[in-house]
Amino acid sequence: MSACVPTRHDHTSRSSRPPRASGIKRPHSPPPPPRDGRFRIAGADLSASITVFLLAVPMSLGLAVAMDAPLEAGLISAAIGGIVAGLLGGTPLQVSGPSAGLTVVTAELIQIYGWRTTCAITIGAGLLQILLGSLRAARSALAVSPAIVHGTLAGIGVAIALAQLHIVLGGTPQSSAVANALALPDQLGRVSPAAPLIGVLTIAVLILWPRIPGWIGRVVRRIPAALAAVVTATVVAAITAPEIARVDLPSWRSHALPEMPHGPVLALATAVLTVMLVASLESLLASVAVDKLSADRAGGQAAARSKADSTSASSSGPASSSDPASSSGPVSVSGPVSPSALAQGRPGPACPSLPDPPVRRSDLDRELRAQGIANTLSGLVGGLAVSGGAVRSSANVRAGATGRASTVLHGVWVLLAAGLLVAALEQIPLAALAALVMMVGIQMVSFAHIRNVHKHREFLVYGATITGVLLFGVLKGVVIGIAVAVAVAMHRLARTRITVTEQGGQHLVVVRGQLTFLAVPRLSRALARLPQDGDAVVELDGFFMDHAAYETIQDWSIAQTAHGGRVVFTGRSGGRIAEPASAAHSCCRPWTPWRNHHCHDRPGQTPETHHARLDTGRTPDCGSGSVEDRSPEQHTSHDTSGAHSTPGPAGSPTAAPRRTGGNRLFSGLSSFQRNTAPLVREELARLAREGQRPSQLFITCADSRLVTSMITASGPGDLFTVRNIGNLVPPPDAESSDHSVGAAIEYAVDVLKVESITVCGHSGCGAMQALLGAKPDPDAPLTSLWRWLRHGLPSLERMESRHHAWARISGRLPADAVEQLCLTNVVQQLDHLRAHGSVARRLAEGTLQLHGMYFHVGEAQAYLLAEGASAGLTLDEVFNRVDPGDAHASSDSHTPADAHALAGSHTPSDSRSPGNADTPRPTAAGDPAGSGELERTGV
């Protein structure tokens, strides 16, 4: 009996969390994997490096042609980008090289300052990147509006396409996009046939190569389309047009190196800033895209492996303990596993299927520093500016690369080609390279980005940025885009609609939009027209209110109340809301925000603290009980610092002294009377008149961390709750002097007529740990605790039995023996419930449902036992994850009679037969096909 159980490492615990001064990066820039001093080269990395190399060589030459730079500079930057940025970068799968986004900028710099000064500008941009990366400013660069970033790249792409079109037509590009557009008619009038035909042939191969059907297509698609297009054009040009212009690689002896820059200081600084900005944005956006591609590839491989394993298992019949394909989940199990072995985490003799390591997010600050080092070195040796390329990087990921070895090897191959393949490279027609780069420019205008910015109403910013880049250059175009984005944001912020209507002698003031100082004049005029002694309802439909608007509403509300009027503030749904908090506002928002439920423990706060209210006609209201009602923090921006901060760990600067004993109880009761009682008084008065009519019997553990009203979003009168050590249900024939659980079950089923019973276990249950731990001394008298825990022994026997399936949680086996027993205990107590006469009778009538539930405290995640297992109809014990959208989905697909169900109707596809009960198999994670909801609780 053995098992392969992965060890769980909890890196989020307070004990293992490093201090800020330790030098470890924050979560947005995760630390790199530990180094072992060896550079590993996998077979997949070797093949992927060749693929990227075959793509990078023609692109590097083409970009050098487009920039009117020395052709060998493109190869130098490709080699340095691959080797240096590949070794030092924070995105291992990203491939760096000549920057397509800097094509227009570099071409303009070469025309103005010459090649050697342009190299010096590249060095300056690289040093600035190193500085910004050291200051951890990489994430700040991504704060720029996506509409501006994509608009900039699209404008550069259009400029590239216009310039390269002249070369494809056999001419020479002009100095700007506007000049290229104006010169295009004249160029079309004097076109020569050879270059355009070669360009058209290159474009045709680029488009058609990935679309070749059948097995031939699968074979040839291993060759990059860019390489296939350039090779085809080179061969055709050698046969049909031997006089066409071709690549001219000068001798390395005449290669120009940088010089001290000459020119106006302000203009040179602007050039350095522009190169740094465009190269950094292009690299960081490519890093984010590579992360997504890597995650998608990992997800696709996992899905394919899971599908293949399930197919193998279904085709081979019942899974045997020695069949590696019988395990499709993250844990491979071979036969039954003893709880002791599982608790100790001892691996079994064979682990046939282990999960892939998780995809590591990019360290953007490290990537920015690496790009800066690569640009500095590239400028020093006379190369083009370097940035991460989306085209090369996506090819690297799709080619199966697993680490940075692919990127580094691609740079080595480029370096070797620059020295050994000069004769072959000089046979490439310039028209073919121009067509290749023109297609790259066209692809930079992404229709997917256009749809996204249009959907988010940012097309004006996108269009203004493109226009600015084409007319005035990259840096000025970015400035124009930022200015338009700010203007649009200000317009939306000031676009507040205020309407006043009268309904039955009561005035309704509806405010649509954000309340800022810009809307204060119109708001004041609208409120001043209301009768001073009349009743008014102010409906606020916005999530922001600044101090000026708050003061205006507060002053008017006080004056209105002083004249005998009554003011009620509501949200769009009609629910009452609290006012924007004043500077001294620091009370709890009871019920919903449980993370603040200890705020009355803060020093300096007393139960007698008084808080002002906007809702002057009602009792003080400190919060809202509905999702639609806006909380005070959502309506204001001027709360005092730390007023609603979460208490930190003990000993931290933010942790408040903890009150104990009677002081703690008094503070809590006083806080309830001050904050919560006004909210629930009417509801409790109704329940006192009508009596309790709960729809659920909820049996759960007495653990203090398990707050039933919080995890079920329930209120007074919703749940009839029974809590005990270990959420145990003693069988009706058990020899025990404690019949309280049975009495509660009979009362709930026969008197209250509840419609469902839920048994809820939880993670880290102390009762289950005690059952797994040391047994009591048989010679010593049993304590009350052990007499009670004897009712849990059937759960322990069920877990160790070979005739019952192991419970699974969201498609995986439990992490350890304690979690396994917690899950098994829920299923066992449901069996005990069915043995009670009143429960069995209602189940036979079809008027009662049983549900199993598991709550993971550390993850704040609920899991529901599949409906068949809850009803005792199947042997498969699967707890499915409850997702935020499950309740909404279930409310549309279930009848009112099913509205009380907590569990979904999902039945796993790999339900086992009784004959194979001793070989549990983990299933792929999946959501229930439909889950019910708990009446009046929102579950």
Side-chain angles (χ1 to χ4, degrees):
M1 293 187 293
S2 61
C4 298
V5 181
T7 303
R8 173 176 291 181
H9 300 283
D10 186 4
H11 297 287
T12 63
S13 64
R14 293 174 182 172
S15 61
S16 62
R17 187 177 299 142
R20 287 184 179 271
S22 63
I24 297 179
K25 296 179 174 58
R26 299 189 179 107
H28 74 274
S29 293
R35 302 177 182 177
D36 58 4
R38 291 178 294 176
F39 185 74
R40 302 171 183 257
I41 301 177
D45 290 330
L46 182 60
S47 61
S49 69
I50 296 175
T51 300
V52 179
F53 156 72
L54 296 176
L55 173 66
V57 169
M59 283 195 62
S60 302
L61 293 174
L63 290 173
V65 171
M67 299 176 190
D68 198 22
L71 299 185
E72 66 273 16
L75 299 176
I76 291 174
S77 59
I80 291 178
I83 298 174
V84 177
L87 281 174
L88 305 178
T91 310
L93 299 184
Q94 175 162 275
V95 181
S96 301
S99 171
L102 284 171
T103 302
V104 178
V105 176
T106 305
E108 184 178 0
L109 292 178
I110 292 175
Q111 289 185 356
I112 296 175
Y113 301 108
W115 169 245
R116 300 181 67 183
T117 299
T118 301
C119 292
I121 293 173
T122 301
I123 296 173
L127 295 175
L128 191 55
Q129 284 180 310
I130 297 174
L131 175 62
L132 292 178
S134 301
L135 295 176
R136 297 184 177 179
R139 286 283 172 185
S140 302
L142 296 180
V144 181
S145 169
I148 298 175
V149 175
H150 296 312
T152 301
L153 295 178
I156 293 172
V158 172
I160 291 174
L162 286 174
Q164 298 311 295
L165 182 57
H166 282 274
I167 299 178
V168 171
L169 296 176
T172 303
Q174 305 299 315
S175 59
S176 66
V178 176
N180 282 320
L182 295 177
L184 192 58
D186 181 62
Q187 181 64 51
L188 291 173
R190 48 188 178 85
V191 64
S192 57
L197 291 176
I198 294 298
V200 169
L201 175 63
T202 304
I203 295 173
V205 175
L206 283 172
I207 296 175
L208 298 177
W209 191 260
R211 293 173 172 81
I212 299 177
W215 66 271
I216 298 179
R218 289 193 297 270
V219 172
V220 301
R221 276 195 294 271
R222 297 178 182 177
I223 303 174
L227 178 65
V230 171
V231 170
T232 303
T234 301
V235 173
V236 172
I239 298 174
T240 61
E243 303 299 327
I244 195 172
R246 288 182 168 83
V247 169
D248 181 17
L249 286 174
S251 172
W252 288 104
R253 297 177 181 176
S254 60
H255 181 65
L257 297 177
E259 64 179 2
M260 291 298 297
H262 301 288
V265 176
L266 182 60
L268 291 173
T270 302
V272 170
L273 182 63
T274 303
V275 173
M276 182 277 301
L277 178 65
V278 176
S280 300
L281 283 177
E282 191 175 14
S283 299
L284 296 179
L285 288 175
S287 294
V288 174
V290 169
D291 280 351
K292 185 177 184 303
L293 287 173
S294 302
D296 292 344
R297 184 183 68 175
Q301 290 175 349
R305 182 170 56 251
S306 176
K307 181 178 180 181
D309 290 345
S310 61
T311 303
S312 175
S314 62
S315 63
S316 60
S320 64
S321 61
S322 61
D323 184 9
S326 64
S327 175
S328 60
V331 182
S332 176
V333 177
S334 179
V337 184
S338 64
S340 59
L342 186 57
Q344 296 172 10
R346 296 198 304 264
C351 292
S353 179
L354 293 177
D356 291 335
V359 179
R360 183 175 294 272
R361 290 185 304 158
S362 297
D363 184 345
L364 297 185
D365 295 311
R366 177 180 175 181
E367 181 65 30
L368 187 58
R369 291 194 298 270
Q371 295 291 333
I373 296 173
N375 272 314
T376 302
L377 293 178
S378 181
L380 284 172
V381 298
L384 296 172
V386 173
S387 72
V391 177
R392 295 182 294 262
S393 301
S394 61
N396 190 39
V397 174
R398 292 190 177 98
T402 61
R404 61 181 74 249
S406 170
T407 303
V408 175
L409 287 176
H410 128 271
V412 173
W413 307 146
V414 172
L415 194 62
L416 293 177
L420 303 178
L421 300 179
V422 175
L425 296 178
E426 288 182 339
Q427 300 300 316
I428 301 175
L430 290 179
L433 295 178
L436 174 64
V437 177
M438 185 177 70
M439 291 300 294
V440 173
I442 293 174
Q443 291 172 357
M444 293 173 69
V445 185
S446 172
F447 289 101
H449 294 157
I450 294 175
R451 285 194 298 269
N452 283 333
V453 298
H454 185 268
K455 178 176 66 176
H456 294 286
R457 298 185 300 168
E458 297 283 344
F459 188 78
L460 180 61
V461 179
Y462 182 84
T465 306
I466 291 179
T467 305
V469 170
L470 291 176
L471 296 180
F472 307 108
V474 174
L475 189 60
K476 294 180 180 178
V478 171
V479 172
I480 292 173
I482 293 175
V484 174
V486 171
V488 170
M490 291 296 295
H491 172 72
R492 291 175 178 171
L493 197 60
R495 187 182 176 185
T496 305
R497 292 177 294 172
I498 303 173
T499 59
V500 180
T501 57
E502 184 177 359
Q503 301 174 353
Q506 187 181 61
H507 290 81
L508 175 63
V509 181
V510 180
V511 181
R512 297 277 189 265
Q514 320 319 320
L515 278 174
T516 65
F517 66 94
L518 299 173
V520 166
R522 286 183 290 134
L523 178 63
S524 299
R525 286 194 298 269
L527 297 178
R529 289 196 292 266
L530 301 180
Q532 292 186 345
D533 57 351
D535 294 342
V537 176
V538 180
E539 180 181 314
L540 302 176
D541 179 26
F543 59 85
F544 178 80
M545 178 188 297
D546 69 0
H547 190 78
Y550 162 71
E551 291 291 349
T552 299
I553 293 180
Q554 179 78 347
D555 294 343
W556 170 81
S557 177
I558 294 174
Q560 190 81 357
T561 305
H563 287 84
R566 183 173 179 272
V567 180
V568 176
F569 292 87
T570 70
R572 188 169 190 176
S573 63
R576 295 165 59 81
I577 61 173
E579 86 289 4
S582 66
H585 181 65
S586 59
C587 70
C588 280
R589 290 179 295 144
W591 261 0
T592 311
W594 284 91
R595 74 190 191 95
N596 292 331
H597 76 289
H598 285 166
C599 63
H600 54 261
D601 292 337
R602 292 195 183 89
Q605 291 192 8
T606 63
E608 293 77 15
T609 303
H610 175 71
H611 303 289
R613 292 281 154 253
L614 266 185
D615 192 357
T616 55
R618 299 283 291 184
T619 54
D621 181 12
C622 196
S624 169
S626 66
V627 176
E628 292 84 0
D629 297 346
R630 302 296 183 185
S631 61
E633 292 82 2
Q634 289 173 305
H635 280 281
T636 184
S637 60
H638 61 273
D639 275 19
T640 55
S641 175
H644 291 277
S645 60
T646 305
S652 68
T654 60
R658 181 173 180 174
R659 301 183 181 185
T660 58
N663 290 335
R664 176 68 176 270
L665 176 63
F666 174 78
S667 298
L669 292 174
S670 179
S671 177
F672 166 80
Q673 294 300 145
R674 181 179 70 250
N675 299 322
T676 308
L679 296 175
V680 300
R681 186 168 287 120
E682 293 182 4
E683 178 69 7
L684 290 178
R686 181 187 66 81
L687 291 173
R689 292 191 307 268
E690 300 176 358
Q692 63 167 330
R693 292 182 296 177
S695 62
Q696 288 270 338
L697 169 58
F698 200 81
I699 303 174
T700 188
C701 186
D703 193 292
S704 62
R705 300 166 296 178
L706 204 64
V707 185
T708 57
S709 59
M710 177 180 68
I711 64 177
T712 61
S714 58
D718 288 338
L719 300 180
F720 188 73
T721 306
V722 174
R723 304 188 68 156
N724 60 55
I725 302 296
N727 48 275
L728 300 178
V729 179
D733 57 350
E735 296 181 1
S736 174
S737 59
D738 183 2
H739 300 283
S740 63
V741 177
I745 294 172
E746 291 180 9
Y747 183 77
V749 173
D750 294 335
V751 179
L752 298 178
K753 303 295 183 182
V754 295
E755 300 174 2
S756 65
I757 304 176
T758 300
V759 177
C760 176
H762 69 96
S763 61
C765 182
M768 301 301 107
Q769 294 176 13
L771 286 173
L772 283 173
K775 298 297 186 293
D777 187 356
D779 299 330
L782 287 178
T783 63
S784 297
L785 177 60
W786 275 108
R787 280 196 295 270
W788 172 254
L789 287 180
R790 285 187 302 174
H791 300 303
L793 292 178
S795 300
L796 186 61
E797 295 171 358
R798 183 189 188 102
M799 185 181 75
E800 295 177 337
S801 172
R802 297 173 59 90
H803 303 290
H804 290 280
W806 273 44
R808 285 165 289 173
I809 178 171
S810 191
R812 65 169 174 84
L813 284 178
D816 50 33
V818 175
E819 187 174 56
Q820 177 63 63
L821 185 56
C822 291
L823 299 171
T824 303
N825 182 58
V826 171
V827 181
Q828 183 64 37
Q829 303 315 309
L830 290 174
D831 286 350
H832 291 175
L833 265 176
R834 282 186 282 269
H836 283 259
S838 56
V839 175
R841 184 178 61 256
R842 289 280 305 277
L843 287 175
E845 295 172 356
T847 59
L848 182 66
Q849 295 180 348
L850 301 185
H851 303 296
M853 175 179 169
Y854 176 77
F855 185 75
H856 196 292
V857 177
E859 297 175 356
Q861 178 62 55
Y863 299 86
L864 295 177
L865 183 61
E867 185 175 3
S870 295
L873 301 178
T874 64
L875 296 176
D876 225 18
E877 301 165 5
V878 180
F879 287 79
N880 294 304
R881 178 188 180 97
V882 178
D883 290 325
D886 287 349
H888 300 289
S890 64
S891 62
D892 297 333
S893 60
H894 284 73
T895 62
D898 297 329
H900 309 289
L902 275 172
S905 60
H906 174 65
T907 301
S909 59
D910 61 338
S911 298
R912 299 179 298 105
S913 62
N916 194 31
D918 61 336
T919 311
R921 292 172 298 173
T923 58
D927 294 327
S931 58
E933 60 181 3
L934 184 64
E935 183 182 42
R936 293 182 291 173
T937 66
V939 176

